[in-house]
Amino acid sequence: MVQDQQDLDLYSKEYARQLDEHDELASYRDEFYINPNSIYMDGNSLGLLSKRAEQSLLDVLGAWKHQGIDGWTQGQYPWFYLAEKLAAMSAPLVGASADEVIVTGSTTVNLHQLVATFYKPQGIRTKILADELNFPSDIYALQSQLKLHGYDPDEHLIRVASRDGRFLQEEDIIAAMTEEVALIVLPAVLYRSGQLLDMKRLSAEAHARGILIGFDGCHSVGSIPHSFSEWDVDFAFWCNYKYLNSGPGGTASLYVNRKHHGITPGLTGWFGSHKDKQFDMEHQFHQADTAGAFQIGTPNILSMAPLIGSLELFAEATMEKLRQKSLHITRYMMELIKHELSDMGFTLGNPTEDERRGGHVSLEHQEAARICKALKELQHIVPDFRAPNIIRLAPVPLYTSYSDVWETVQRLKAVMVDKQYEKFANMRDVVA
Ligand SMILES: *Cc1c(COP(=O)(O)O)cnc(C)c1O
């Protein structure tokens, strides 16, 4: 990638330093609060705080401080329109129009809302299709929605099996799209292996069989570009606190394809009203003719405020450049891992083809839990452990440097060579 480095050792610290020098996104690191004493590789679980996100939160607090209730309609970011403003800022990240997105609720609540809206069992079409590697909260939501319809989830929730415990084959998913399936919910990027599913293909195949399809974008939005509208995805939902850096418990988002606007939300509430009608206080629900209809109650303004500043950074850096760096820096990490950590019991558990992988590297090891503990406590690297055997490492293009990646692999090597992990029990912590 960098021409004048051909004579350099590709695995050297100097090479990492040069990659940083040529990184056109390098300056964004200064926009974030980075702990100088540790290396953060967990941005796929909780993104770091940026100065702009902090500022937009302070601005919104200021409006409350100085304007009280008038903050709903006045000030820099009138709260009554904040969900829609943030939707317009998010839309380019998912390939949607502004009116197809809304910032609201939490990931799991939004999934409930969307399934309550789009799951309409009829005749023999009564089943929901998901996969056995899906995030547990999504599965719980699907199970409970089936129960609300009086169905036994053991029978009506189909979970496509993984052949190897890591990946899903699109062919297997398509083969499971039978005439009994009413709705499909799948991850865009799998949370463990980082596999990126072919959403365009799956949407086309689902529609060819008369099935609606939606995607969980928790591990994809802010990490890869999307074209939800072009791919004709019916709906999607995602959190904003992972790659989008909106802070712990930050308000989530959802997407509803324009062709479905006007459908009655499964769970209605007054914030789903047409904005001009909401304060008429009638008992007749006049729903918004946008994805805003899927809001329920008063938005969590303080949990949305950091997203204002954060999304500005994405607009400036652009998703295309972020993805380019993400692919490059994760490839670099995989090369270093192969070179430095061979014969130490690691298996690379993420896909290696660029079009099939998201933003993190997934390392499998029998001692993963305690390797993570040693990394964090002795080596000051913040990794992410996922039971039973996965170390997730996410070099985030906005704030991770190539030198961080180099250091991380060196310190991981030290943990292995000196068997530092043996000082810890191989068990996960409460929040892993
Ligand atoms: C992080 C994550 C969630 C979290 O859901 P919350 O409602 O925000 O707690 C759900 N699904 C997936 C795939 C995730 O990665």
Side-chain angles (χ1 to χ4, degrees):
M1 162 184 144
V2 182
Q3 302 306 321
D4 58 352
Q5 294 171 358
Q6 277 158 1
D7 47 344
L8 258 184
D9 172 4
L10 302 184
Y11 306 107
S12 66
K13 188 172 187 168
E14 176 56 19
Y15 184 70
R17 208 189 56 71
Q18 293 222 5
L19 287 174
D20 283 328
E21 219 163 77
H22 290 87
D23 173 10
E24 60 173 326
L25 297 177
S27 63
Y28 284 98
R29 186 178 170 86
D30 297 334
E31 299 267 1
F32 286 83
Y33 288 101
I34 310 270
N35 179 346
N37 302 316
S38 77
I39 297 177
Y40 197 73
M41 285 290 159
D42 208 0
N44 60 326
S45 253
L46 180 71
L48 290 180
L49 174 65
S50 65
K51 292 167 190 171
R52 285 203 239 179
E54 176 185 48
Q55 189 55 52
S56 56
L57 173 58
L58 290 173
D59 291 343
V60 172
L61 271 176
W64 179 27
K65 189 192 276 182
H66 299 294
Q67 293 170 296
I69 190 135
D70 288 335
W72 282 104
T73 50
Q74 294 174 10
Q76 201 176 352
Y77 310 111
W79 310 330
F80 191 57
Y81 303 102
L82 187 55
E84 286 78 11
K85 177 193 166 67
L86 287 169
M89 295 175 81
S90 308
L93 299 183
V94 294
S97 308
D99 66 351
E100 293 177 304
V101 177
I102 197 72
V103 174
T104 185
S106 71
T107 313
T108 310
V109 168
N110 290 347
L111 173 57
H112 271 291
Q113 168 69 299
L114 292 161
V115 177
T117 304
F118 290 106
Y119 173 54
K120 293 186 170 158
Q122 254 182 346
I124 60 162
R125 240 185 231 292
T126 55
K127 297 190 176 172
I128 297 180
L129 181 62
D131 68 274
E132 68 169 8
L133 302 179
N134 215 308
F135 195 83
S137 196
D138 295 30
I139 294 296
Y140 304 155
L142 296 176
Q143 288 169 333
S144 85
Q145 287 290 329
L146 284 165
K147 280 191 230 162
L148 285 171
H149 281 269
Y151 293 120
D152 176 1
D154 288 342
E155 201 182 300
H156 281 77
L157 180 62
I158 306 169
R159 274 172 285 179
V160 175
S162 163
R163 298 183 193 182
D164 56 7
R166 290 188 190 109
F167 308 136
L168 299 169
Q169 304 297 324
E170 276 86 358
E171 301 87 86
D172 294 347
I173 299 171
I174 293 163
M177 296 180 184
T178 68
E179 56 188 14
E180 294 186 330
V181 176
L183 187 75
I184 303 172
V185 178
L186 293 167
V189 168
L190 277 65
Y191 77 99
R192 275 207 193 92
S193 68
Q195 181 193 357
L196 167 59
L197 288 178
D198 186 342
M199 289 178 266
K200 181 180 181 180
R201 178 178 173 200
L202 292 169
S203 301
E205 296 286 352
H207 292 157
R209 293 162 177 77
I211 310 171
L212 295 179
I213 185 164
F215 290 96
D216 180 330
C218 280
H219 280 276
S220 66
V221 181
S223 173
I224 62 161
H226 303 67
S227 306
F228 282 154
S229 295
E230 190 195 314
W231 300 336
D232 203 25
V233 168
D234 292 294
F235 62 87
F237 54 98
W238 59 94
C239 62
N240 289 310
Y241 53 75
K242 290 173 181 161
Y243 288 101
L244 290 172
N245 312 316
S246 75
T251 303
S253 296
L254 61 80
Y255 161 88
V256 172
N257 191 304
R258 175 173 295 127
K259 69 184 176 188
H260 297 302
H261 291 181
I263 191 175
T264 306
L267 309 172
T268 49
W270 73 319
F271 264 82
S273 299
H274 195 284
K275 291 212 114 44
D276 299 336
K277 297 270 187 198
Q278 182 173 342
F279 278 85
D280 288 349
M281 306 307 256
E282 289 175 12
H283 279 188
Q284 169 76 33
F285 179 55
H286 295 285
Q287 73 183 71
D289 48 12
T290 65
F294 299 90
Q295 296 172 89
I296 303 175
T298 305
N300 306 128
I301 298 298
L302 297 181
S303 300
M304 291 158 72
L307 193 55
I308 305 169
S310 186
L311 288 175
E312 283 172 13
L313 293 174
F314 280 84
E316 284 175 31
T318 74
M319 204 54 246
E320 285 61 35
K321 281 189 192 161
L322 289 167
R323 173 63 166 165
Q324 216 175 24
K325 175 173 171 187
S326 167
L327 284 173
H328 187 260
I329 197 169
T330 44
R331 171 77 58 203
Y332 174 62
M333 179 176 252
M334 291 190 280
E335 294 297 327
L336 288 179
I337 286 168
K338 256 188 265 168
H339 186 257
E340 302 286 350
L341 305 175
S342 58
D343 306 325
M344 291 183 184
F346 289 104
T347 307
L348 203 55
N350 54 274
T352 48
E353 310 93 307
D354 285 356
E355 31 343 305
R356 286 186 73 225
R357 60 195 187 93
H360 71 262
V361 171
S362 177
L363 261 186
E364 299 171 9
H365 196 286
Q366 275 187 346
E367 310 283 355
R370 53 182 177 165
I371 291 171
C372 281
K373 284 183 186 171
L375 269 179
K376 198 162 185 174
E377 287 178 37
L378 304 177
Q379 296 293 344
H380 312 290
I381 303 278
V382 184
D384 183 277
F385 171 68
R386 279 293 170 265
N389 65 339
I390 292 175
I391 304 167
R392 293 189 306 189
L393 299 167
V396 173
L398 273 174
Y399 53 76
T400 307
S401 67
Y402 289 86
S403 299
D404 284 344
V405 169
W406 188 87
E407 263 310 318
T408 297
V409 176
Q410 291 302 313
R411 295 189 201 177
L412 182 50
K413 187 175 179 181
V415 164
M416 302 314 293
V417 171
D418 307 337
K419 296 200 186 321
Q420 293 173 7
Y421 59 86
E422 288 182 352
K423 299 192 177 95
F424 302 87
N426 199 30
M427 279 165 52
R428 68 168 172 82
D429 293 328
V430 175
V431 175

PDB file of all heavy atoms in Angstrom, residues 87-113:
ATOM      1  N   ALA A  87     -31.859  10.837  12.529  1.00  0.00           N
ATOM      2  CA  ALA A  87     -32.183   9.872  11.466  1.00  0.00           C
ATOM      3  C   ALA A  87     -31.605  10.354  10.138  1.00  0.00           C
ATOM      4  O   ALA A  87     -31.006   9.577   9.391  1.00  0.00           O
ATOM      5  CB  ALA A  87     -33.690   9.698  11.355  1.00  0.00           C
ATOM      6  N   ALA A  88     -31.756  11.645   9.869  1.00  0.00           N
ATOM      7  CA  ALA A  88     -31.220  12.192   8.619  1.00  0.00           C
ATOM      8  C   ALA A  88     -29.701  12.065   8.589  1.00  0.00           C
ATOM      9  O   ALA A  88     -29.105  11.784   7.545  1.00  0.00           O
ATOM     10  CB  ALA A  88     -31.644  13.646   8.469  1.00  0.00           C
ATOM     11  N   MET A  89     -29.066  12.238   9.759  1.00  0.00           N
ATOM     12  CA  MET A  89     -27.606  12.103   9.814  1.00  0.00           C
ATOM     13  C   MET A  89     -27.171  10.642   9.684  1.00  0.00           C
ATOM     14  O   MET A  89     -26.078  10.347   9.195  1.00  0.00           O
ATOM     15  CB  MET A  89     -27.068  12.678  11.136  1.00  0.00           C
ATOM     16  CG  MET A  89     -27.267  14.181  11.288  1.00  0.00           C
ATOM     17  SD  MET A  89     -26.731  14.756  12.926  1.00  0.00           S
ATOM     18  CE  MET A  89     -24.944  14.869  12.679  1.00  0.00           C
ATOM     19  N   SER A  90     -28.008   9.717  10.133  1.00  0.00           N
ATOM     20  CA  SER A  90     -27.665   8.280  10.087  1.00  0.00           C
ATOM     21  C   SER A  90     -27.933   7.663   8.725  1.00  0.00           C
ATOM     22  O   SER A  90     -27.300   6.662   8.356  1.00  0.00           O
ATOM     23  CB  SER A  90     -28.503   7.478  11.101  1.00  0.00           C
ATOM     24  OG  SER A  90     -28.440   8.030  12.382  1.00  0.00           O
ATOM     25  N   ALA A  91     -28.900   8.224   8.008  1.00  0.00           N
ATOM     26  CA  ALA A  91     -29.368   7.589   6.765  1.00  0.00           C
ATOM     27  C   ALA A  91     -28.239   7.244   5.780  1.00  0.00           C
ATOM     28  O   ALA A  91     -28.238   6.143   5.218  1.00  0.00           O
ATOM     29  CB  ALA A  91     -30.428   8.466   6.102  1.00  0.00           C
ATOM     30  N   PRO A  92     -27.260   8.154   5.573  1.00  0.00           N
ATOM     31  CA  PRO A  92     -26.189   7.800   4.619  1.00  0.00           C
ATOM     32  C   PRO A  92     -25.383   6.569   5.055  1.00  0.00           C
ATOM     33  O   PRO A  92     -24.822   5.870   4.207  1.00  0.00           O
ATOM     34  CB  PRO A  92     -25.287   9.039   4.616  1.00  0.00           C
ATOM     35  CG  PRO A  92     -26.116  10.151   5.160  1.00  0.00           C
ATOM     36  CD  PRO A  92     -27.108   9.525   6.088  1.00  0.00           C
ATOM     37  N   LEU A  93     -25.330   6.300   6.344  1.00  0.00           N
ATOM     38  CA  LEU A  93     -24.550   5.145   6.814  1.00  0.00           C
ATOM     39  C   LEU A  93     -25.220   3.830   6.459  1.00  0.00           C
ATOM     40  O   LEU A  93     -24.584   2.775   6.464  1.00  0.00           O
ATOM     41  CB  LEU A  93     -24.356   5.209   8.339  1.00  0.00           C
ATOM     42  CG  LEU A  93     -23.606   6.416   8.896  1.00  0.00           C
ATOM     43  CD1 LEU A  93     -23.443   6.288  10.404  1.00  0.00           C
ATOM     44  CD2 LEU A  93     -22.234   6.532   8.242  1.00  0.00           C
ATOM     45  N   VAL A  94     -26.521   3.861   6.215  1.00  0.00           N
ATOM     46  CA  VAL A  94     -27.232   2.617   5.923  1.00  0.00           C
ATOM     47  C   VAL A  94     -27.820   2.593   4.515  1.00  0.00           C
ATOM     48  O   VAL A  94     -28.508   1.640   4.144  1.00  0.00           O
ATOM     49  CB  VAL A  94     -28.338   2.316   6.979  1.00  0.00           C
ATOM     50  CG1 VAL A  94     -27.708   2.050   8.332  1.00  0.00           C
ATOM     51  CG2 VAL A  94     -29.365   3.428   7.067  1.00  0.00           C
ATOM     52  N   GLY A  95     -27.580   3.631   3.735  1.00  0.00           N
ATOM     53  CA  GLY A  95     -28.099   3.650   2.373  1.00  0.00           C
ATOM     54  C   GLY A  95     -29.604   3.797   2.353  1.00  0.00           C
ATOM     55  O   GLY A  95     -30.308   3.023   1.693  1.00  0.00           O
ATOM     56  N   ALA A  96     -30.090   4.779   3.095  1.00  0.00           N
ATOM     57  CA  ALA A  96     -31.536   4.993   3.197  1.00  0.00           C
ATOM     58  C   ALA A  96     -31.838   6.470   3.017  1.00  0.00           C
ATOM     59  O   ALA A  96     -30.939   7.307   3.057  1.00  0.00           O
ATOM     60  CB  ALA A  96     -32.030   4.537   4.568  1.00  0.00           C
ATOM     61  N   SER A  97     -33.108   6.782   2.809  1.00  0.00           N
ATOM     62  CA  SER A  97     -33.528   8.175   2.858  1.00  0.00           C
ATOM     63  C   SER A  97     -33.773   8.531   4.321  1.00  0.00           C
ATOM     64  O   SER A  97     -34.040   7.647   5.141  1.00  0.00           O
ATOM     65  CB  SER A  97     -34.831   8.374   2.091  1.00  0.00           C
ATOM     66  OG  SER A  97     -34.719   7.841   0.812  1.00  0.00           O
ATOM     67  N   ALA A  98     -33.733   9.829   4.600  1.00  0.00           N
ATOM     68  CA  ALA A  98     -33.895  10.277   5.977  1.00  0.00           C
ATOM     69  C   ALA A  98     -35.198   9.759   6.589  1.00  0.00           C
ATOM     70  O   ALA A  98     -35.234   9.375   7.756  1.00  0.00           O
ATOM     71  CB  ALA A  98     -33.853  11.803   6.026  1.00  0.00           C
ATOM     72  N   ASP A  99     -36.264   9.708   5.805  1.00  0.00           N
ATOM     73  CA  ASP A  99     -37.564   9.319   6.384  1.00  0.00           C
ATOM     74  C   ASP A  99     -37.706   7.808   6.575  1.00  0.00           C
ATOM     75  O   ASP A  99     -38.732   7.339   7.055  1.00  0.00           O
ATOM     76  CB  ASP A  99     -38.723   9.878   5.539  1.00  0.00           C
ATOM     77  CG  ASP A  99     -38.773   9.266   4.144  1.00  0.00           C
ATOM     78  OD1 ASP A  99     -37.823   8.543   3.762  1.00  0.00           O
ATOM     79  OD2 ASP A  99     -39.769   9.510   3.437  1.00  0.00           O
ATOM     80  N   GLU A 100     -36.682   7.048   6.193  1.00  0.00           N
ATOM     81  CA  GLU A 100     -36.735   5.592   6.401  1.00  0.00           C
ATOM     82  C   GLU A 100     -36.022   5.161   7.694  1.00  0.00           C
ATOM     83  O   GLU A 100     -35.983   3.969   8.011  1.00  0.00           O
ATOM     84  CB  GLU A 100     -36.082   4.868   5.208  1.00  0.00           C
ATOM     85  CG  GLU A 100     -36.880   5.026   3.912  1.00  0.00           C
ATOM     86  CD  GLU A 100     -36.207   4.373   2.723  1.00  0.00           C
ATOM     87  OE1 GLU A 100     -35.040   4.722   2.441  1.00  0.00           O
ATOM     88  OE2 GLU A 100     -36.835   3.528   2.069  1.00  0.00           O
ATOM     89  N   VAL A 101     -35.457   6.124   8.400  1.00  0.00           N
ATOM     90  CA  VAL A 101     -34.710   5.809   9.623  1.00  0.00           C
ATOM     91  C   VAL A 101     -35.311   6.605  10.775  1.00  0.00           C
ATOM     92  O   VAL A 101     -35.827   7.707  10.576  1.00  0.00           O
ATOM     93  CB  VAL A 101     -33.213   6.190   9.443  1.00  0.00           C
ATOM     94  CG1 VAL A 101     -32.423   5.933  10.724  1.00  0.00           C
ATOM     95  CG2 VAL A 101     -32.595   5.422   8.282  1.00  0.00           C
ATOM     96  N   ILE A 102     -35.243   6.045  11.987  1.00  0.00           N
ATOM     97  CA  ILE A 102     -35.561   6.843  13.166  1.00  0.00           C
ATOM     98  C   ILE A 102     -34.656   6.379  14.305  1.00  0.00           C
ATOM     99  O   ILE A 102     -34.310   5.197  14.384  1.00  0.00           O
ATOM    100  CB  ILE A 102     -37.069   6.758  13.554  1.00  0.00           C
ATOM    101  CG1 ILE A 102     -37.439   7.909  14.488  1.00  0.00           C
ATOM    102  CG2 ILE A 102     -37.429   5.422  14.164  1.00  0.00           C
ATOM    103  CD1 ILE A 102     -37.502   9.268  13.846  1.00  0.00           C
ATOM    104  N   VAL A 103     -34.227   7.336  15.128  1.00  0.00           N
ATOM    105  CA  VAL A 103     -33.399   7.003  16.285  1.00  0.00           C
ATOM    106  C   VAL A 103     -34.336   6.912  17.480  1.00  0.00           C
ATOM    107  O   VAL A 103     -34.995   7.892  17.842  1.00  0.00           O
ATOM    108  CB  VAL A 103     -32.303   8.066  16.490  1.00  0.00           C
ATOM    109  CG1 VAL A 103     -31.527   7.810  17.777  1.00  0.00           C
ATOM    110  CG2 VAL A 103     -31.349   8.048  15.289  1.00  0.00           C
ATOM    111  N   THR A 104     -34.444   5.718  18.038  1.00  0.00           N
ATOM    112  CA  THR A 104     -35.446   5.482  19.085  1.00  0.00           C
ATOM    113  C   THR A 104     -35.143   4.187  19.830  1.00  0.00           C
ATOM    114  O   THR A 104     -34.476   3.298  19.301  1.00  0.00           O
ATOM    115  CB  THR A 104     -36.860   5.385  18.448  1.00  0.00           C
ATOM    116  OG1 THR A 104     -37.843   5.270  19.481  1.00  0.00           O
ATOM    117  CG2 THR A 104     -36.985   4.171  17.527  1.00  0.00           C
ATOM    118  N   GLY A 105     -35.637   4.100  21.048  1.00  0.00           N
ATOM    119  CA  GLY A 105     -35.630   2.826  21.774  1.00  0.00           C
ATOM    120  C   GLY A 105     -34.264   2.209  21.980  1.00  0.00           C
ATOM    121  O   GLY A 105     -33.233   2.882  21.976  1.00  0.00           O
ATOM    122  N   SER A 106     -34.270   0.903  22.156  1.00  0.00           N
ATOM    123  CA  SER A 106     -33.030   0.138  22.254  1.00  0.00           C
ATOM    124  C   SER A 106     -33.079  -0.926  21.169  1.00  0.00           C
ATOM    125  O   SER A 106     -34.125  -1.146  20.552  1.00  0.00           O
ATOM    126  CB  SER A 106     -32.911  -0.529  23.628  1.00  0.00           C
ATOM    127  OG  SER A 106     -33.855  -1.579  23.729  1.00  0.00           O
ATOM    128  N   THR A 107     -31.982  -1.578  20.934  1.00  0.00           N
ATOM    129  CA  THR A 107     -31.937  -2.600  19.891  1.00  0.00           C
ATOM    130  C   THR A 107     -33.046  -3.619  20.088  1.00  0.00           C
ATOM    131  O   THR A 107     -33.814  -3.925  19.174  1.00  0.00           O
ATOM    132  CB  THR A 107     -30.583  -3.349  19.948  1.00  0.00           C
ATOM    133  OG1 THR A 107     -29.542  -2.397  20.054  1.00  0.00           O
ATOM    134  CG2 THR A 107     -30.383  -4.206  18.736  1.00  0.00           C
ATOM    135  N   THR A 108     -33.108  -4.160  21.294  1.00  0.00           N
ATOM    136  CA  THR A 108     -34.050  -5.248  21.537  1.00  0.00           C
ATOM    137  C   THR A 108     -35.490  -4.751  21.455  1.00  0.00           C
ATOM    138  O   THR A 108     -36.363  -5.428  20.905  1.00  0.00           O
ATOM    139  CB  THR A 108     -33.763  -5.905  22.902  1.00  0.00           C
ATOM    140  OG1 THR A 108     -32.367  -6.208  22.982  1.00  0.00           O
ATOM    141  CG2 THR A 108     -34.557  -7.181  23.070  1.00  0.00           C
ATOM    142  N   VAL A 109     -35.744  -3.547  21.994  1.00  0.00           N
ATOM    143  CA  VAL A 109     -37.098  -2.985  21.909  1.00  0.00           C
ATOM    144  C   VAL A 109     -37.474  -2.749  20.447  1.00  0.00           C
ATOM    145  O   VAL A 109     -38.600  -3.031  20.027  1.00  0.00           O
ATOM    146  CB  VAL A 109     -37.195  -1.680  22.730  1.00  0.00           C
ATOM    147  CG1 VAL A 109     -38.491  -0.932  22.412  1.00  0.00           C
ATOM    148  CG2 VAL A 109     -37.120  -1.982  24.215  1.00  0.00           C
ATOM    149  N   ASN A 110     -36.536  -2.267  19.669  1.00  0.00           N
ATOM    150  CA  ASN A 110     -36.833  -2.023  18.252  1.00  0.00           C
ATOM    151  C   ASN A 110     -37.121  -3.321  17.506  1.00  0.00           C
ATOM    152  O   ASN A 110     -37.978  -3.366  16.629  1.00  0.00           O
ATOM    153  CB  ASN A 110     -35.686  -1.257  17.583  1.00  0.00           C
ATOM    154  CG  ASN A 110     -35.602   0.181  18.082  1.00  0.00           C
ATOM    155  OD1 ASN A 110     -36.524   0.673  18.743  1.00  0.00           O
ATOM    156  ND2 ASN A 110     -34.511   0.858  17.783  1.00  0.00           N
ATOM    157  N   LEU A 111     -36.400  -4.377  17.867  1.00  0.00           N
ATOM    158  CA  LEU A 111     -36.694  -5.674  17.246  1.00  0.00           C
ATOM    159  C   LEU A 111     -38.117  -6.099  17.615  1.00  0.00           C
ATOM    160  O   LEU A 111     -38.882  -6.561  16.759  1.00  0.00           O
ATOM    161  CB  LEU A 111     -35.664  -6.722  17.698  1.00  0.00           C
ATOM    162  CG  LEU A 111     -35.939  -8.161  17.253  1.00  0.00           C
ATOM    163  CD1 LEU A 111     -36.061  -8.275  15.741  1.00  0.00           C
ATOM    164  CD2 LEU A 111     -34.846  -9.094  17.762  1.00  0.00           C
ATOM    165  N   HIS A 112     -38.478  -5.927  18.891  1.00  0.00           N
ATOM    166  CA  HIS A 112     -39.850  -6.253  19.300  1.00  0.00           C
ATOM    167  C   HIS A 112     -40.860  -5.462  18.477  1.00  0.00           C
ATOM    168  O   HIS A 112     -41.850  -6.005  17.991  1.00  0.00           O
ATOM    169  CB  HIS A 112     -40.042  -5.931  20.786  1.00  0.00           C
ATOM    170  CG  HIS A 112     -39.687  -7.070  21.698  1.00  0.00           C
ATOM    171  ND1 HIS A 112     -40.424  -8.226  21.764  1.00  0.00           N
ATOM    172  CD2 HIS A 112     -38.674  -7.223  22.590  1.00  0.00           C
ATOM    173  CE1 HIS A 112     -39.881  -9.054  22.658  1.00  0.00           C
ATOM    174  NE2 HIS A 112     -38.813  -8.465  23.168  1.00  0.00           N
ATOM    175  N   GLN A 113     -40.584  -4.173  18.343  1.00  0.00           N
ATOM    176  CA  GLN A 113     -41.500  -3.318  17.588  1.00  0.00           C
ATOM    177  C   GLN A 113     -41.641  -3.814  16.142  1.00  0.00           C
ATOM    178  O   GLN A 113     -42.750  -3.895  15.602  1.00  0.00           O
ATOM    179  CB  GLN A 113     -40.964  -1.866  17.618  1.00  0.00           C
ATOM    180  CG  GLN A 113     -41.619  -0.901  16.655  1.00  0.00           C
ATOM    181  CD  GLN A 113     -43.062  -0.586  17.027  1.00  0.00           C
ATOM    182  OE1 GLN A 113     -43.903  -1.480  17.071  1.00  0.00           O
ATOM    183  NE2 GLN A 113     -43.336   0.689  17.310  1.00  0.00           N
TER     184      GLN A 113
END
